[in-house]
Amino acid sequence: MKKKQVTGYIFLLLFSGVAQAGDWIIGASVGMAWGEADSASLNQQLVGRGINATVSGIDSSRVTTQFFVGYEYLPRWGVELGYVDLGDVEADINGTLSGINNYFTSGQDIYPQTATGWQISSIYRYPVSGMFQWSGRIGLYSWDTDYTLQSPVNSQNVSEDGMDAIYGLGLEIGQWIKRGGIVGQVNWDRYSINGESIDVLSFGASYRF
């Protein structure tokens, strides 16, 4: 599916409920992301491809940001469009000159994953009390990533993109049923980028109007 088609479907889903008496919601959040890639798993992949190089110095935790707009077309049910930045991550690739060159040609996909992109989600909210409600989401993340492979004698820029499912749970705190109210949020979301799972714990706020 082409990205232009995906974008069209996203806006169709988001705005198809405008004729109904729903509420608009805007918000933002900041959090931390943790990828499952570590030195041991990446080095195992390098060995499997016969590349004489090693990965070290991985710090897969990083700061994330998200900005979103949503529409609640039915009580408890809504759609949300957001832009998500999963943060920057670095890793050191060490080895012989021939090993590094082999990595550049046949192992450049072996690295900790991260991305930025647009996310469309379906949201369900379950009230616990007048001030608290649980939320659950499932959707799609249309992502792209750009990174640089660099050694003392060589450098290469790589760009990738894709689309993967996301899901998550959250807790919202505040006068969420009233327009004009600010609601605090704590969310956990799981992303998948090129087969690597990335967990995000975020804190944010939204405004209903």
Side-chain angles (χ1 to χ4, degrees), residues 166-189:
I166 67 99
Y167 57 90
L169 298 171
L171 177 65
E172 300 182 356
I173 306 168
Q175 296 293 332
W176 54 270
I177 61 173
K178 295 183 179 181
R179 291 183 178 179
I182 296 177
V183 175
Q185 299 178 333
V186 180
N187 294 305
W188 165 81
D189 296 288

Side-chain angles (χ1 to χ4, degrees), residues 105-185:
T105 57
S106 60
Q108 60 184 232
D109 59 326
I110 302 175
Y111 65 96
Q113 302 289 331
T114 191
T116 60
W118 292 96
Q119 173 179 304
I120 179 72
S121 305
S122 177
I123 309 291
Y124 177 77
R125 295 179 171 90
Y126 182 79
V128 180
S129 70
M131 291 290 292
F132 297 90
Q133 67 174 352
W134 294 106
S135 65
R137 78 176 65 239
I138 187 169
L140 292 172
Y141 184 46
S142 179
W143 57 267
D144 60 75
T145 184
D146 298 288
Y147 59 97
T148 301
L149 304 175
Q150 189 166 353
S151 74
V153 295
N154 202 354
S155 179
Q156 183 174 337
N157 294 321
V158 181
S159 297
E160 293 185 331
D161 57 62
M163 180 175 295
D164 290 283
I166 67 99
Y167 57 90
L169 298 171
L171 177 65
E172 300 182 356
I173 306 168
Q175 296 293 332
W176 54 270
I177 61 173
K178 295 183 179 181
R179 291 183 178 179
I182 296 177
V183 175
Q185 299 178 333

Side-chain angles (χ1 to χ4, degrees), residues 5 30 35 37 54 83 90 179 186:
Q5 293 175 314
V30 61
T54 59
Y83 186 79
E90 295 183 355
R179 291 183 178 179
V186 180

Side-chain angles (χ1 to χ4, degrees), residues 4 19 24-25 36 40 43 65 67 95 103 122 129 131 141 157 204:
K4 289 184 179 178
W24 289 94
I25 300 170
E36 64 179 355
N43 285 327
T65 55
F67 303 92
Y103 174 79
S122 177
S129 70
M131 291 290 292
Y141 184 46
N157 294 321

Side-chain angles (χ1 to χ4, degrees), residues 54-123:
T54 59
V55 179
S56 62
I58 294 178
D59 183 6
S60 62
S61 63
R62 63 270 195 185
V63 176
T64 68
T65 55
Q66 178 179 178
F67 303 92
F68 62 87
V69 57
Y71 188 79
E72 193 170 80
Y73 55 87
L74 289 174
R76 303 188 184 184
W77 289 96
V79 292
E80 189 177 280
L81 175 67
Y83 186 79
V84 181
D85 185 342
L86 294 178
D88 297 327
V89 61
E90 295 183 355
D92 298 324
I93 310 296
N94 308 293
T96 63
L97 179 59
S98 61
I100 295 297
N101 288 334
N102 287 338
Y103 174 79
F104 275 42
T105 57
S106 60
Q108 60 184 232
D109 59 326
I110 302 175
Y111 65 96
Q113 302 289 331
T114 191
T116 60
W118 292 96
Q119 173 179 304
I120 179 72
S121 305
S122 177
I123 309 291

